[in-house]
Amino acid sequence: MQKDGNQISPRIILGVTGGIAAYKSPDLVRRLIERGAQVQVVMTQSAKTFLSPSTFQAVSGRRVRDDLWDEAAEASMGHIELARWADLVLIAPATAHTIGSLAAGLAGDLLTTLALATDAPILLAPAMNQAMWSKKAVQENRTLLESRGIRFLGPAEGEQACGDQGPGRMLEPIDIVNAVFEAPVQLPSEVLKGLRVIITAGPTREPIDPVRYITNRSSGKMGFALAAAAQQAGADVILISGPVSIKTPAGVNRFEVETAKEMYESVHQRVDGSDLFIACAAVSDYRPEIESSEKLKRSAKNLNLELVRSPDTLASVAELQNGPFTVGFAAETQNVTENARMKLIKKNLDMIAANRVGPECGFDQETNSLRVFWKNGDIELENAPKSVLAKRLINLIAKRYVASQPKQSPSQVI
Ligand code: PMT
């Protein structure tokens, strides 16, 4: 993502596959560019039976890529480099064949190879005959891709090129462009450039005696995914983590703590001069008042532990004068919205991500879903792998952060 002042220009790979709706794709390119995007068109071989690459070259101002084995093109930007360049991969139209290839993880041409190689979010605007769209195979592929975090835009219903009526028409370019710019799916590769971000992750351990402690089920996966996404978005990232067994994301500066008190101290040693603070750690609210220096014996029938409150790192950062933009998490099993809103206000946060604890979301799961609240708004980030969700959340935080800054000149954020 390139940033010109506050103007952000997302880098989009537009995949065009072989369907009659490809005639709408040059208009889509034009509209994306009008909104400030840089667009690299990638065509499949069958797309070229409907439109010539020179049409796309004329509207995008870039040479169209259409061949995995094009030595000249690969020499200027290899396909892996191109996959990394993209903030977003948008395939419009997406045929049943391409959807099937993506679901199967095939890499038979440049476009599907890029889709496999990229970390960027992928959006598909399907276009096909209504009977094809309704087939179980296509619907199962769609469900599978959605479960992996790929998002479908449409299709629309109506009269089709073949004369049929029903679902299968590609959305109009204007609707696709609006979805691209409104949905928090883009990974803005430089939107946090120059910002110092502190992220907490994992559980804490509150010692009872030399061999026992109080802890929780946090694996650190969500916090580490956020650290990786923030680093990829250009931030200088400090990750303060409780005990977990996850590799530190490349380029991230990690500090390890064990207890809630150490978490508090570690954050406060580093918070000065930071721009963003994201508290994803599951910090123990209570700790044993006394830590026994010897292992407690199994003698009495009952053992009562006196627990005292541990310091609240998040609330203390939110209280700082000229402190960072502060984002909390709220792990909840019930009344998720009410509890999250209450924490947002009570702790005086800029944003809070409500994390329902349940199947496929929350502690020690591979996937997660969040509802994110701020003073005048909220948004649902649908269930997706934690790495994908983290990119969406970082993008959303970046938008809210930019919006919170005093305006120097008319600004526009996506
Ligand atoms: O690590 P994973 O297995 O991937 O799971 C991710 C997660 C479920 C742990 C994560 O997404 C999440 O929801 N983290 C917050 C968990 C939590 O402890 O929520 P809470 O509602 O108890 O705390 C509210 C906020 O205050 C949190 O931002 C927490 O970091 C912060 N806090 C809480 C207590 C305390 N003493 N100090 C704090 O800073």
Side-chain angles (χ1 to χ4, degrees), residues 129-147:
N129 167 270
Q130 54 80 26
M132 292 168 72
W133 175 250
S134 315
K135 281 286 175 317
K136 206 170 169 209
V138 175
Q139 288 308 312
E140 283 180 359
N141 285 337
R142 173 197 182 167
T143 307
L144 181 62
L145 289 172
E146 282 179 334
S147 75

Side-chain angles (χ1 to χ4, degrees), residues 218-220 222 279-281 285 311 314 329 343 347 355 364 386:
S218 170
S219 63
M222 191 68 230
C280 185
D285 286 318
L314 176 62
F329 268 71
K343 283 180 189 169
K347 297 198 184 193
N355 200 151
D364 203 14
K386 283 181 177 169

Side-chain angles (χ1 to χ4, degrees), residues 200 202 217-223 260 279-285 310-315 327-332 343 347 353 355 362-365 368 370 386:
T200 66
R217 296 176 195 276
S218 170
S219 63
K221 288 174 193 162
M222 191 68 230
C280 185
V283 185
S284 194
D285 286 318
S310 11
D312 189 328
T313 304
L314 176 62
V327 184
F329 268 71
E332 303 291 345
K343 283 180 189 169
K347 297 198 184 193
N355 200 151
F363 291 78
D364 203 14
Q365 304 281 331
N368 204 6
L370 298 168
K386 283 181 177 169

Side-chain angles (χ1 to χ4, degrees), residues 177-291:
V177 171
N178 284 340
V180 164
F181 281 85
E182 277 160 19
V185 293
Q186 300 91 339
L187 173 60
S189 56
E190 291 192 355
V191 79
L192 295 184
K193 198 170 174 67
L195 299 186
R196 189 152 177 262
V197 179
I198 300 183
I199 298 174
T200 66
T204 60
R205 283 181 185 167
E206 310 302 326
I208 298 170
D209 67 16
V211 298
R212 303 181 179 95
Y213 50 75
I214 296 172
T215 191
N216 59 65
R217 296 176 195 276
S218 170
S219 63
K221 288 174 193 162
M222 191 68 230
F224 276 58
L226 284 167
Q231 196 277 336
Q232 286 164 22
D236 178 9
V237 181
I238 292 175
L239 174 63
I240 300 177
S241 174
V244 295
S245 45
I246 311 185
K247 237 176 103 200
T248 311
V252 166
N253 217 347
R254 171 174 174 181
F255 296 89
E256 291 180 6
V257 297
E258 188 154 321
T259 63
K261 187 163 170 281
E262 287 172 12
M263 176 74 79
Y264 180 94
E265 284 163 1
S266 184
V267 167
H268 281 280
Q269 265 169 33
R270 299 175 171 89
V271 73
D272 234 22
S274 62
D275 302 287
L276 288 168
F277 176 64
I278 307 174
C280 185
V283 185
S284 194
D285 286 318
Y286 293 92
R287 66 180 160 81
E289 186 175 26
I290 297 165
E291 178 189 349

Side-chain angles (χ1 to χ4, degrees), residues 12 38 40 64 77 132 138 143 145 165 180 204 222 235 240 259 268 287 315 324-325 338 349 352 363 384 391 405 408:
I12 298 177
Q38 305 171 61
Q40 171 64 58
V64 169
M77 197 197 269
M132 292 168 72
V138 175
T143 307
L145 289 172
Q165 283 279 344
V180 164
T204 60
M222 191 68 230
I240 300 177
T259 63
H268 281 280
R287 66 180 160 81
F325 185 90
E338 296 74 14
L349 309 176
I352 194 158
F363 291 78
K391 289 171 185 172
Q405 297 304 295
Q408 283 151 3

